[in-house]
Amino acid sequence: MKHQLKNYLKLGILLFGISIILVNCEKDEMSISNEQTIDFSTKKLPKVNYYTNKSLPKVVSEELEKSLKSLESKNSTRDLQISFGTILTDRIMQTISEDSIENFTFRVELDDDDPKTFYNFIIRQNADSTFSEPYIKKYTMSDSFYDNYSNGIATFDSFEGEFTNYSITESIDIDNLLNRSGDCPPVPVDDDTTNDPNDPVNNSGGGGGGSATGTTGNTNSTTQSNGIPVTCSSSIVVIPCNGSTAYGGGNHDGSNPACTGTFKGATYLRIVCSDGSGGDIQLKSAANKTSSNPCPGDDGDVGVLDEDDVLISKCKKLKKLSESSSFQQRMQELINNTSGNTEINYWGRNDNLNNMNYADSDRSESAENAREIKPNPPISSVDSYIHNHSFVTVINQSGQPVTYKPFPVFSGADLYTVSNMYVNGLINDLSDFIIVVATPGQNINSTDDDTVYAITITNTQQFINLANALAVTPLLIDNFYNDPNNLISTSISTSVNEERLARLFKDKKMGMQLFRGDKDDLNNWTQIKVKNNGEIQKKNCN
Amino acid sequence: MKHILLALFIVSTLSCKAQLTVYNIDTPPENRTVTDNYYYKDIDNHHDAIVGVWRWEDGNTSFEMTLQEFEQYSYPISPNIYLDAVYGKYTYIENGQTIVNITEIETFVNLKLSLGFRSPTEYGVVIGDPTSETNKVGEFILTSPTTATMRLWDSEGVKINYGNGQPWALPTYFELTKQ
């Protein structure tokens, strides 16, 4: 009997253990935050500016170079290749907080398989113009937030998850970042919306440090009693710590030393109006968490650059390109030529005013019905290339002429060429580089159903991996197009091919982004992207 | 108690591990619900019809290729995406003289010949010519269980620094017989 009871007890423990494991492996449910009363305090908001590497203040550029010397940086492109990834310099966010602390946020790319994480690099200039040690900030989304974020339902505004700061003054490598074993403990930012009366962020009204500012939201306007219009704008801020300079600086009353004590994270909707009114609406707040180890800390308002900023940045580049008169003129030539039987290619170069030019000397045209165009490589590095595809008529085995449909999207050879250009140092700046193709539709006699596509490089590290692979095995790219798991072919429709090309970029981690243009309005671009559930997402740039 | 702990460990390991999603090789990519950790498997064994030795002969000129299936292969650039792939080697002899002789069937990085499933009787072809250091694409069509045609053409698009200037060494049309 006793033995039987013992067996039942063992079985009970086993079943209990299994149930605990299964519960723990389930995804957390998404919670919806409570609505909060708008508290229009007179709190000042950080000033936000965006820079590129060209416009970045010289003193910050120097600090960036200096701080990265220990990380084996090499300036082969304008982005900074470092031992653990790439610091992108095409869109840099500056936040200037009320106490004159300036934080410069850069997006960092790693060859990271985890789509729930992204990285920023932070340089802080203090109020006395000195610089603090720069650091890496890693954001890790919660499962529930990631589902909505990756499906385009949520933006970073409603961020849930945690972030971790990493000092770069100590030895740092990619494994260190990917394994989340940084020198700071992760700080949770979850959906606990409990209003804490002791929360100094919500209640002190004190000068605001330790916050992360997101992308600017809507702008609305009303009219004051004196008839002067009042404009209000909103932005999202993630306030990671309990007080102004916590998480590295202690609480704003100076009671706690760096990185000790209890701190909080929260997401706020921050509203500012031209009449001086405004305030924070708490969207998400974090649970208490205690830490005691020294770590690089946020101070002042720290900007966040996430995926949406990449899209904004690339759309701006395409808009700038589309405004170039040389681009417009040459593209019209290429579109007209899609109903011919040759391919034309131009290498593009930015002039002193950053306008793209396609000179006669950078033009090549294939032989008739040649299918491929083999232009001479550019004599010096370039900023883009544009070309067209066309119908091809050849004589078949029976001696009869047969007309073949051209590739309706970028071909494997087009991608091989851009990787070859990179390997041979023929690209000025990968993150600025743009490839455009004009492709014919089904009708050989008309350009009415022509399409225009563009590719930008969004992850230089992944692209470099691809370029290195193609340098060894050029036919690999044709293999990718030919693989049954993602066949891209002239035998299927343009719309299916464009989606499969976007899938190829995603699945093979090629670091490229596809945009579809409009041949009748070259300033109209749509990003074609694959979500992690395999669905296609199309976002217009305008 | 030791057994219970062991059982709990095994259950926890299996239940939390990332799963590999298996798709039949004819599944359109649009029907895929994942972008990583998947396997395109030749569940219906279509590849059995093409693996082996195929030969074309015209007097003293011949082309012979050997095809082999590589189960659950993944490219290093996408290590979590698997595929039942068909790779091959070939020998081309022209007027009794060996022009190309690829002696090993290799995967990336020394890949020289691959066939990709499109339908049970149609495959896409990618083939490299070490003589010219260029490649062509094409189609392989089964016309009976023991005969097939293979047609090759240039891949389309912009090509720079491509090839060594030598001409393409192989014919571009073959009527093949399975050996």
Side-chain angles (χ1 to χ4, degrees), chain A residues 483-487 492 496 500 503 534, chain B residues 23-34 38 40 117-118:
Chain A
D483 277 344
N485 58 13
N486 198 48
L487 176 69
I492 49 184
V496 170
R500 291 187 180 181
R503 285 181 203 283
Chain B
Y23 294 99
N24 203 342
I25 203 161
D26 60 2
T27 307
E30 291 72 26
N31 293 359
R32 223 166 40 224
T33 55
V34 293
Y38 66 84
Y40 260 51
F117 178 89
R118 293 187 185 177

Side-chain angles (χ1 to χ4, degrees), chain A residues 25 371-374 377 389 404 407 411 413-414 417 420 473 478-479 482-485 500 507-508 533, chain B residues 4 16 29-30 32-33 38 40 75 78 81 108-109 111 114 117-118 124 135 151 154 156-159 161:
Chain A
C25 288
R371 243 198 193 111
E372 58 187 9
I373 175 170
K374 294 179 176 173
H389 290 172
Y404 291 100
F407 233 87
S411 67
D414 299 338
T417 287
N420 185 283
T473 313
D478 285 329
N479 252 49
N482 192 43
D483 277 344
N485 58 13
R500 291 187 180 181
D507 289 10
K508 295 293 192 294
N533 62 3
Chain B
I4 291 176
C16 293
E30 291 72 26
R32 223 166 40 224
T33 55
Y38 66 84
Y40 260 51
Y75 299 104
S78 53
I81 297 175
F108 179 79
V109 297
L111 186 60
S114 75
F117 178 89
R118 293 187 185 177
N135 59 278
R151 194 169 65 86
D154 289 324
E156 188 176 335
V158 180
K159 296 172 184 175
N161 298 318

Side-chain angles (χ1 to χ4, degrees), chain B residues 7-171:
Chain B
L8 283 174
F9 174 76
I10 292 169
V11 170
S12 65
T13 305
L14 292 177
S15 61
C16 293
K17 193 181 169 189
Q19 297 290 313
L20 194 63
T21 308
V22 178
Y23 294 99
N24 203 342
I25 203 161
D26 60 2
T27 307
E30 291 72 26
N31 293 359
R32 223 166 40 224
T33 55
V34 293
T35 59
D36 210 358
N37 293 307
Y38 66 84
Y39 173 22
Y40 260 51
K41 187 172 171 54
D42 180 22
I43 292 171
D44 300 323
N45 298 315
H46 293 303
H47 287 165
D48 289 354
I50 63 162
V51 295
V53 180
W54 293 85
R55 186 174 173 84
W56 165 78
E57 232 175 50
D58 183 11
N60 283 339
T61 300
S62 66
F63 174 85
E64 185 172 288
M65 69 177 182
T66 306
L67 303 176
Q68 180 185 332
E69 184 184 59
F70 287 72
E71 280 187 30
Q72 206 169 339
Y73 177 75
S74 69
Y75 299 104
I77 201 168
S78 53
N80 299 323
I81 297 175
Y82 301 92
L83 170 76
D84 283 346
V86 176
Y87 297 136
K89 64 177 183 178
Y90 67 88
T91 301
Y92 176 58
I93 297 169
E94 192 174 77
N95 297 322
Q97 186 184 349
T98 302
I99 305 297
V100 183
N101 185 21
I102 296 167
T103 56
E104 300 288 333
I105 300 178
E106 294 191 74
T107 60
F108 179 79
V109 297
N110 292 316
L111 186 60
K112 289 289 183 294
L113 171 63
S114 75
L115 270 70
F117 178 89
R118 293 187 185 177
S119 77
T121 57
E122 188 183 345
Y123 288 78
V125 178
V126 180
I127 184 168
D129 165 28
T131 310
S132 62
E133 294 176 4
T134 62
N135 59 278
K136 288 189 189 289
V137 295
E139 62 188 9
F140 174 96
I141 298 189
L142 276 171
T143 48
S144 79
T146 56
T147 58
T149 59
M150 187 165 78
R151 194 169 65 86
L152 306 176
W153 58 83
D154 289 324
S155 58
E156 188 176 335
V158 180
K159 296 172 184 175
I160 62 164
N161 298 318
Y162 183 67
N164 57 16
Q166 295 292 313
W168 176 258
L170 312 176

Side-chain angles (χ1 to χ4, degrees), chain A residues 485-532:
Chain A
N485 58 13
N486 198 48
L487 176 69
I488 300 172
S489 159
T490 56
S491 62
I492 49 184
S493 73
T494 302
S495 59
V496 170
N497 271 315
E498 71 178 23
E499 292 183 359
R500 291 187 180 181
L501 187 59
R503 285 181 203 283
L504 178 67
F505 292 168
K506 169 88 172 175
D507 289 10
K508 295 293 192 294
K509 299 179 177 59
M510 293 166 72
M512 290 188 260
Q513 180 64 64
L514 180 66
F515 290 84
R516 185 182 56 230
D518 178 348
K519 71 176 177 59
D520 297 319
D521 177 6
L522 291 172
N523 198 15
N524 183 13
W525 295 96
T526 300
Q527 180 201 42
I528 301 168
K529 187 179 175 184
V530 180
K531 296 187 283 189
N532 273 55

Side-chain angles (χ1 to χ4, degrees), chain A residues 27 62 85 119 149 160 183 191 256 265 299 343 423 467 497 534:
Chain A
K27 286 181 178 178
E62 288 172 354
Y119 301 81
Y149 181 82
E160 288 175 13
D183 23 59
D191 58 349
N256 285 330
D299 199 357
E343 294 194 7
V423 169
N497 271 315

Side-chain angles (χ1 to χ4, degrees), chain A residues 33-50:
Chain A
S33 64
N34 295 336
E35 286 187 12
Q36 304 290 320
T37 306
I38 299 176
D39 172 21
F40 280 93
S41 68
T42 56
K43 189 171 181 172
K44 286 190 179 174
L45 296 176
K47 188 179 172 190
V48 177
N49 298 311
Y50 288 95

